[in-house]
């Protein structure tokens, strides 16, 4: 049976110690009811994941804008096209930067999934995270391989301030997201929606797919 509890727990774990967990739980539940009423065609687990990602990324700063866009999508698309359009659009509201990814790697959603996937291996399996952080500092691009411990990831997931301190950080990803969002909201056919939805993967892969699909 579907439950919002794991998603809410994950959102609460991403908060700073001074933030009110109850308030975020109420907001999650309220938004989920709102979105479910608007989009009964979308699976509950998918809607919960979209709301979760928006709250984790920037505390839901763009939840209202996202909902307004969903209202517009409902007028433009139906059936499978609507499902794909919603999925592709939601991915434009967050960037897979080092802050967001750090939370994803240590979230209860990820650890619970790992337990289900690897439970046949016994109880002694260990999941090792491999990440490749990328930063723009004083005009210089810095990128390196990292095998972070969970304690480091738990610290990094609270470092949203880095986005303010480094305004050029992941600028290319943000530009891609804006172009994808604009095109989806202009009404395109299902084939084009699938192409836009397929702009994903690691940075270099995502950049290449974006270049092919958006011609930019």
């Amino acid at each position: 049976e579907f439950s919002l509890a794991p998603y809410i727990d994950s959102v609460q774990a991403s908060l700073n110690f001074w933030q009110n967990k109850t308030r975020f739980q109420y907001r999650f539940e309220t938004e989920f009811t709102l979105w479910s009423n608007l989009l009964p065609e979308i699976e509950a687990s998918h809607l919960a994941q979209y709301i979760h990602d928006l709250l984790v990324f920037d505390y839901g700063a763009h939840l209202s804008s996202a909902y307004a866009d969903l209202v517009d999508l409902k007028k433009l698309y139906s059936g499978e096209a609507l499902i794909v359009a919603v999925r592709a659009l939601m991915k434009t509201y967050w960037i897979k930067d080092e802050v967001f990814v750090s939370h994803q790697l240590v979230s209860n959603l990820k650890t619970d999934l790992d337990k289900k996937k690897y439970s046949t291996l016994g109880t002694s399996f260990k999941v090792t995270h491999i990440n490749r952080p990328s930063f723009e500092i004083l005009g210089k691009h810095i990128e390196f391989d990292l095998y972070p411990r969970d304690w480091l990831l738990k610290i990094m997931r609270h470092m949203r301030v880095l986005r303010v301190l480094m305004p050029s950080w992941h600028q290319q990803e943000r530009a891609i997201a804006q172009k994808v969002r604009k095109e989806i909201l202009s009404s395109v056919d299902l084939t084009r929606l699938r192409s836009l939805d397929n702009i994903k993967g690691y940075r270099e892969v995502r950049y290449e797919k974006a270049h092919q699909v958006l011609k930019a």
Side-chain angles (χ1 to χ4, degrees), residues 6 107-117:
S107 166
N108 60 289
L109 297 176
K110 170 69 163 53
T111 54
D112 289 347
L113 181 61
D114 287 342
K115 289 177 182 177
K116 291 179 182 178
K117 289 171 60 177

Side-chain angles (χ1 to χ4, degrees), residues 172 176 199 205-216:
Q172 187 170 349
I176 291 170
I199 299 177
V205 174
R206 190 161 62 252
Y207 292 163
E208 180 60 29
K209 287 182 178 180
H211 178 72
Q212 294 172 358
V213 174
L214 302 172
K215 307 301 180 184

Side-chain angles (χ1 to χ4, degrees), residues 20-182:
N20 190 314
K21 292 184 177 181
T22 301
R23 184 172 68 84
F24 275 85
Q25 177 177 346
Y26 175 77
R27 189 175 187 194
F28 195 116
E29 293 170 343
T30 302
E31 291 289 342
F32 182 78
T33 299
L34 192 65
W35 290 36
S36 296
N37 290 337
L38 176 67
L39 297 166
E41 307 92 336
I42 310 296
E43 290 186 28
S45 60
H46 293 173
L47 290 178
Q49 186 68 58
Y50 301 149
I51 296 169
H52 163 277
D53 292 346
L54 287 167
L55 285 169
V56 168
F57 184 71
D58 57 8
Y59 305 131
H62 295 92
L63 266 171
S64 296
S65 298
Y67 181 78
D69 284 346
L70 291 176
V71 172
D72 290 339
L73 285 193
K74 185 83 174 186
K75 301 173 184 176
L76 297 173
Y77 305 103
S78 61
E80 185 180 356
L82 176 63
I83 294 173
V84 177
V86 170
R87 183 173 64 233
L89 178 73
M90 289 301 101
K91 289 187 292 186
T92 70
Y93 273 96
W94 47 262
I95 300 297
K96 266 193 171 183
D97 61 16
E98 284 66 22
V99 178
F100 188 57
V101 169
S102 291
H103 176 75
Q104 286 184 312
L105 293 177
V106 292
S107 166
N108 60 289
L109 297 176
K110 170 69 163 53
T111 54
D112 289 347
L113 181 61
D114 287 342
K115 289 177 182 177
K116 291 179 182 178
K117 289 171 60 177
Y118 306 122
S119 58
T120 56
L121 301 177
T123 58
S124 59
F125 70 87
K126 179 180 179 181
V127 177
T128 300
H129 305 302
I130 303 175
N131 199 6
R132 187 169 179 79
S134 176
F135 298 93
E136 295 287 339
I137 301 177
L138 299 176
K140 294 184 178 181
H141 181 77
I142 301 174
E143 190 171 326
F144 54 92
D145 290 327
L146 179 67
Y147 296 83
R149 300 291 183 90
D150 283 359
W151 64 265
L152 180 59
L153 294 170
K154 289 179 179 179
I155 292 174
M156 187 63 187
R157 69 179 173 184
H158 296 298
M159 299 299 290
R160 294 174 180 84
V161 68
L162 292 176
R163 298 168 185 160
V164 177
L165 297 176
M166 296 186 292
S168 63
W169 196 28
H170 294 283
Q171 189 172 25
Q172 187 170 349
E173 286 97 322
R174 292 197 298 271
I176 291 170
Q178 290 296 325
K179 290 179 180 179
V180 170
R181 188 186 308 170
K182 182 177 180 180

